[in-house]
Amino acid sequence: MRKSVVAIVGKPNVGKSTIFNRLVGERIAIVEDVPGVTRDRIYAEAEWLNTTFNLIDTGGIEIGDEPLMVQMRTQAEIAIEESDVIIFMIDGKEGVTAADEEVTRMLFKSSKPVVLAVNKMDNPEMRDRIYEFYSLGFGEPYPISGSHGLGLGDLLDEVVKHFPERDIEEDDEDTIHFSLIGRPNVGKSSLVNSILGEERVIVSEVAGTTRDAIDTSFEKDNQDFVIIDTAGMRKRGKVYEKTEKYSVLRALKAIERSDVVLAVLDADTGIIEQDKRIAGYAHEAGKAVIIVVNKWDTVEKDDKTMKEFEDKVRQDFQFLDYAPVVFLSALTKKRMHTLLPRIIQASENHAKRVQTNLLNEVIMDSLALNPTPSIKGRKLKILYATQVAVKPPTFVVFVNDPELMHFTFKRFLENRIREAFGFEGTPIKIYARQRK
Ligand code: GDP
Ligand code: GDP
């Protein structure tokens, strides 16, 4: 189910990122460390009263060296476009400024619900000043203090009230949702056209969750698919669409709604740093991933070329060692037919459940070959394991002391589980828990 999206807008230094970090900080901290992946702190999941939603810090989206007013206008535009509810943040110490009034006008013109947060109200005496903010016309202003963590509960109670009702009727469980991510010009839209243009694909409708999303659903050989819109695929000429942070934001939103993510590379230009960063988002989100090397027609080949390119991909994308690599050309359509079967396979593996008894057999057999390690004279003991979740498959291993289960041993278990059950295309997670 699609989560509601909340955007924070406001001038620089009002405290947007302080609040953002407070609301999502812990969650970001538990994301495992992946070498070569830089994290983006403008979009993340937050939770309030058992409702999870996604939060955007629009302050993190900078548009070149434009003046303050242009930056703020753009950020407000993105908030209006990308979110369901907007938190408009003002510096309570400073009061209402001209820039705040400009944003106020823009927000009024949109029909999005706005909750006014007056930050830096660090002590009760300051709360008397709250009345001057009624004049902005957003109803009750919520006094908060980001640095002291005050008032956030009341603010979020109000925010949550404005979440749109979701359709109970959701897509069929069997429908595979996928998206294509990659830097501009790698060929994402060409690939979509090529997939949809293929014979025997029936495009049944164009349905969107928001006003102008362009999710496309189609059917092939009795399997339903939905391609989820990303920034690179809809080019409407807004200035901010060219900024990297905005494309990242769109990619993150698309990834979140996908089962399978196609990380598209350009064989013509080769792999650059930005490709790794973008693919890293899919990995972090725990989605099934396929690495698609597009424009394979542009490469002069002999019998070793593909292997060499794949080796290079493997080296650059070590964190995606589970992802299959497919080589194709959206232009000539060569090898395009290899794509959908891979998507289906990755999606099935992403949702796969293995039986507890088989899982334990595999683990115990591998322990017979490779005894558990000891650390400072203490030996790791594995009692049993069970799969606790799918999408991605997640396993809990009960042990005598989780501290004794090191990364390398986890890696060993992961490899054994993969060999036994075949989880190609999907990340799997393994956690150690204590059981005496
Ligand atoms: P942003 O530019 O809107 O993201 O603002 P930041 O979150 O970076 O905060 C700007 C400055 O305001 C930092 O020095 C924060 O420590 C400070 N700040 C944030 N929240 C509060 C608050 O509630 N009270 C006070 N006194 N300072 C705050
Ligand atoms: P996007 O920005 O990722 O959506 O990329 P586009 O689909 O707009 O493609 C960018 C450019 O690459 C266009 O000029 C396409 O015609 C070209 N292109 C896309 N796929 C291929 C391919 O497989 N081979 C070749 N030679 N060119 C391609």
Side-chain angles (χ1 to χ4, degrees):
M1 180 146 118
R2 196 176 83 83
K3 293 193 205 84
S4 293
V5 179
V6 178
I8 311 178
V9 265
K11 283 191 318 259
N13 286 317
V14 294
K16 295 183 297 300
S17 52
T18 305
I19 297 293
F20 179 86
N21 288 331
R22 269 208 182 262
L23 298 180
V24 307
E26 286 164 42
R27 289 173 170 268
I28 286 186
I30 57 169
V31 173
E32 58 199 298
D33 255 324
V34 180
V37 175
T38 358
R39 223 148 270 127
D40 236 273
R41 312 266 311 187
I42 58 164
Y43 182 77
E45 190 175 86
E47 190 180 298
W48 180 247
L49 297 177
N50 298 325
T51 311
T52 52
F53 56 94
N54 286 310
L55 193 61
I56 305 174
D57 175 6
T58 62
I61 304 170
E62 285 155 24
I63 322 293
D65 296 326
E66 298 290 342
L68 173 70
M69 218 50 131
V70 177
Q71 301 270 357
M72 288 197 57
R73 226 177 277 144
T74 309
Q75 289 167 1
E77 217 177 304
I78 291 172
I80 292 165
E81 173 109 346
E82 301 291 340
S83 68
D84 300 299
V85 182
I86 296 169
I87 296 178
F88 179 27
M89 195 172 290
I90 289 200
D91 184 331
K93 281 197 191 156
E94 197 183 14
V96 178
T97 66
D100 294 326
E101 280 165 356
E102 169 81 10
V103 173
T104 299
R105 272 190 292 277
M106 290 184 64
L107 295 180
F108 264 132
K109 268 190 255 160
S110 83
S111 51
K112 288 283 156 80
V114 175
V115 180
L116 181 62
V118 181
N119 192 29
K120 308 197 183 179
M121 303 297 248
D122 300 337
N123 52 61
E125 302 86 76
M126 297 177 78
R127 290 186 163 226
D128 293 342
R129 294 194 52 192
I130 198 74
Y131 299 101
E132 72 179 78
F133 299 97
Y134 273 99
S135 65
L136 284 170
F138 291 114
E140 187 179 347
Y142 287 83
I144 60 171
S145 167
S147 32
H148 296 77
L150 300 173
L152 296 180
D154 289 344
L155 174 71
L156 290 174
D157 279 347
E158 183 60 24
V159 166
V160 168
K161 274 187 208 155
H162 296 282
F163 283 172
E165 300 265 329
R166 298 277 172 224
D167 269 345
I168 305 293
E169 192 204 336
E170 283 295 318
D171 288 304
D172 190 346
E173 269 281 289
D174 299 330
T175 300
I176 298 174
H177 293 75
F178 69 96
S179 55
L180 295 88
I181 60 169
R183 64 189 151 88
N185 289 321
V186 293
K188 297 180 294 298
S189 5
S190 307
L191 282 165
V192 170
N193 290 336
S194 179
I195 293 166
L196 297 178
E198 216 187 317
E199 261 179 280
R200 292 188 297 122
V201 165
I202 305 158
V203 181
S204 53
E205 78 188 287
V206 179
T209 46
T210 59
R211 186 159 52 87
D212 43 16
I214 50 160
D215 292 358
T216 308
S217 65
F218 67 95
E219 185 196 321
K220 172 110 199 261
D221 301 337
N222 287 325
Q223 170 67 55
D224 290 323
F225 298 89
V226 172
I227 306 185
I228 292 167
D229 161 45
T230 41
M233 283 150 59
R234 62 165 189 183
K235 295 174 175 133
R236 294 173 315 166
K238 294 240 169 100
V239 189
Y240 57 76
E241 285 178 16
K242 291 196 186 70
T243 67
E244 192 182 345
K245 283 283 173 111
Y246 180 74
S247 344
V248 168
L249 175 66
R250 294 287 313 183
L252 291 173
K253 284 182 83 175
I255 289 167
E256 194 216 335
R257 294 168 50 220
S258 305
D259 301 303
V260 182
V261 178
L262 312 187
V264 184
L265 304 176
D266 181 336
D268 195 21
T269 58
I271 300 162
I272 64 171
E273 207 48 43
Q274 198 185 347
D275 294 321
K276 296 185 213 172
R277 202 156 57 233
I278 294 171
Y281 300 131
H283 171 76
E284 285 187 23
K287 302 300 181 173
V289 182
I290 295 169
I291 298 173
V292 177
V293 182
N294 187 35
K295 307 197 190 178
W296 195 235
D297 58 291
T298 62
V299 176
E300 215 169 301
K301 300 177 255 303
D302 60 31
D303 57 343
K304 296 196 203 71
T305 317
M306 196 181 279
K307 173 79 174 67
E308 281 163 6
F309 203 104
E310 178 161 357
D311 288 345
K312 171 96 179 85
V313 170
R314 289 289 169 222
Q315 195 158 28
D316 285 341
F317 297 86
Q318 286 180 24
F319 56 95
L320 289 177
D321 55 0
Y322 51 83
V325 185
V326 300
F327 295 83
L328 45 73
S329 166
L331 190 73
T332 67
K333 310 244 192 303
K334 216 164 185 182
R335 308 173 67 90
M336 276 302 296
H337 64 275
T338 59
L339 191 54
L340 288 184
R342 286 301 203 178
I343 293 175
I344 294 171
Q345 180 200 39
S347 164
E348 281 172 0
N349 287 340
H350 193 231
K352 180 148 71 188
R353 241 176 232 291
V354 302
Q355 281 177 18
T356 305
N357 59 338
L358 293 180
L359 175 68
N360 284 285
E361 253 171 50
V362 165
I363 290 179
M364 294 314 154
D365 282 355
S366 47
L367 293 183
L369 294 172
N370 192 331
T372 55
S374 296
I375 294 169
K376 291 187 187 138
R378 297 190 55 224
K379 193 170 166 60
L380 173 68
K381 280 199 198 89
I382 293 190
L383 299 137
Y384 69 99
T386 182
Q387 181 174 355
V388 293
V390 294
K391 296 191 175 186
T394 305
F395 301 90
V396 168
V397 181
F398 291 94
V399 298
N400 57 336
D401 179 358
E403 298 271 300
L404 299 172
M405 185 136 127
H406 269 197
F407 175 76
T408 41
F409 191 74
K410 246 189 213 178
R411 198 70 203 172
F412 163 74
L413 280 185
E414 172 170 347
N415 290 337
R416 293 298 301 125
I417 290 173
R418 285 185 179 283
E419 275 165 37
F421 302 106
F423 280 110
E424 189 174 29
T426 179
I428 65 179
K429 302 204 158 151
I430 299 177
Y431 297 101
R433 292 255 174 81
Q434 185 151 33
R435 176 70 42 101
K436 290 256 161 62

